[in-house]
């Protein structure tokens, strides 16, 4: 009878141990499912980050292309502006040259006018003298 009681107690203890093992196994299974869910969430977050990174890279590439286009346009405008500036300087130098020529022509014209006035005055004086002598 003692042996049966001992075996019964041992069986009860094994049953308790089995229940604890089942509980621990279920806890580990639940923990594994939780870890799997967290891993899936991390994977989703990583995929989202990769998508954002790819989008940011595309935006960066687009902005770089836009910057290169703007720089090219700026260089073209600078070249055009430099060409226009050279043309304007050429026109200015040409205008200054013509202004200098006009000043020279004006001075010669004044000189000729002065000589013409002097010759006219001399002719008038000579005519007056001739008239005085004749009369």
């Amino acid at each position: 009878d003692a042996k049966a009681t001992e075996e019964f107690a041992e069986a009860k203890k094994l049953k308790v141990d089995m229940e604890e093992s089942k509980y621990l196994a279920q806890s580990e299974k639940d923990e594994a499912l939780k870890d799997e869910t967290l891993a899936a969430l991390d994977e989703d977050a990583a995929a989202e980050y990769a998508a954002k990174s790819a989008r940011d890279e595309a935006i960066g590439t687009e902005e770089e292309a836009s910057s290169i286009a703007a720089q090219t346009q700026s260089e073209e405008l600078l070249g055009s502006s430099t060409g226009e500036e050279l043309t304007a300087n050429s026109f200015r130098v040409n205008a200054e040259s013509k202004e200098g020529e006009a000043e020279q022509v004006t001075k010669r014209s004044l000189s000729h006018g002065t000589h013409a006035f002097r010759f006219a005055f001399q002719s008038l004086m000579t005519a007056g003298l001739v008239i005085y002598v004749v009369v």
Side-chain angles (χ1 to χ4, degrees):
D1 198 30
K3 189 173 181 179
T5 306
E6 190 180 306
E7 285 180 3
F8 181 73
E10 193 175 317
K12 212 172 190 181
K13 183 180 177 205
L14 286 174
K15 188 177 178 183
V16 169
D17 285 346
M18 186 179 76
E19 291 296 325
E20 283 181 8
S21 292
K22 278 184 184 179
Y23 175 76
L24 288 174
Q26 185 63 41
S27 292
E28 287 178 8
K29 185 179 175 184
D30 290 346
E31 189 69 30
L33 285 173
K34 186 173 130 185
D35 288 345
E36 189 178 315
T37 303
L38 290 174
L41 288 174
D42 287 346
E43 200 173 292
D44 287 347
E48 186 178 333
Y49 176 77
K52 284 181 181 178
S53 177
R55 187 189 70 218
D56 289 348
E57 187 175 337
I59 290 171
T61 302
E62 185 179 316
E63 287 177 354
E64 183 179 3
S66 176
S67 174
I68 289 170
Q71 184 177 2
T72 302
Q73 184 180 13
S74 175
E75 288 172 356
E76 289 173 358
L77 291 174
L78 179 62
S80 174
S81 175
T82 302
E84 290 172 1
E85 185 178 351
L86 290 173
T87 302
N89 282 340
S90 173
F91 287 154
R92 184 183 52 79
V93 168
N94 190 21
E96 288 174 355
S97 171
K98 289 188 181 200
E99 183 182 359
E101 289 176 19
E103 286 178 9
Q104 291 297 325
V105 169
T106 302
K107 286 180 184 175
R108 277 185 286 193
S109 177
L110 285 174
S111 173
H112 290 164
T114 304
H115 287 292
F117 180 74
R118 193 180 61 172
F119 290 137
F121 184 70
Q122 255 181 345
S123 295
L124 186 63
M125 292 299 276
T126 304
L129 196 65
V130 168
I131 291 175
Y132 179 73
V133 169
V134 171
V135 174

